[in-house]
Amino acid sequence: MTTVRVSLVDVYILRRAGGGLECLALRRAAGGRCPGSWETVHGHIEDGERPWQAAKRELEEETSLSAERLYNLSRVETFYQHHHNEVALVPVFAAVLPPGAEPVLGLEHDAAEWLAPPAAKDRFAWPRERRAVDDVIVLLGGGHAGSLEDVLRIV
């Protein structure tokens, strides 16, 4: 029987630049899954971890960056993992970093680029990432969640 569970997270990395936001795109390294594709931070939720805790941990593991502010983007994606016969529910988060923040990449990625959200949307390989960038722009385009700050901000 196919299982359904919250097992993965997506994290969009943002920083203020000029009068707007930049979104970090990461390129998958050779030797791993989807080599050469551009993506945001993804990761598995570990036992006993809440999704937002996994988002913070994965951000730090994949980029050596810490969020100045972390937001719930108020969306959950689905992804069928055929190897596990599981429908994964994927809570989506956005990490806001200070201007000038730069990633230090681990083995999963071999390149990183800060892009304006429309350019990041064009670069991302997964359609769910492109859809989520629209929510990033609507909810956090001003660098914060405005009147929704008290509901969407986690830390």
Side-chain angles (χ1 to χ4, degrees), residues 53-122:
Q53 293 168 323
K56 285 181 64 177
R57 178 184 49 75
E58 287 290 342
L59 171 66
E60 291 172 10
E61 286 178 4
E62 293 187 22
T63 67
S64 296
L65 295 168
S66 295
E68 191 172 68
R69 288 174 280 132
L70 183 69
Y71 291 93
N72 166 7
L73 275 188
S74 188
R75 70 181 300 126
V76 177
E77 295 288 347
T78 56
F79 184 80
Y80 177 62
Q81 298 187 91
H82 58 276
H83 295 295
H84 302 291
N85 194 30
E86 173 185 280
V87 174
L89 301 177
V90 187
V92 182
F93 300 92
V96 178
L97 307 176
E102 290 296 338
V104 176
L105 302 179
L107 298 175
E108 289 181 54
H109 303 100
D110 63 7
E113 194 170 340
W114 289 102
L115 301 166
K121 186 176 172 177
D122 289 342

Side-chain angles (χ1 to χ4, degrees), residues 11-76:
V11 187
Y12 294 83
I13 304 106
L14 311 169
R15 71 176 185 186
R16 304 273 305 140
L21 289 176
E22 291 180 315
C23 186
L24 186 64
L26 304 168
R27 187 175 66 194
R28 296 291 302 183
R33 70 166 173 78
C34 307
S37 66
W38 289 85
E39 65 181 10
T40 192
V41 167
H42 307 289
H44 290 274
I45 300 169
E46 294 179 355
D47 288 339
E49 215 173 27
R50 291 182 177 205
W52 69 267
Q53 293 168 323
K56 285 181 64 177
R57 178 184 49 75
E58 287 290 342
L59 171 66
E60 291 172 10
E61 286 178 4
E62 293 187 22
T63 67
S64 296
L65 295 168
S66 295
E68 191 172 68
R69 288 174 280 132
L70 183 69
Y71 291 93
N72 166 7
L73 275 188
S74 188
R75 70 181 300 126
V76 177

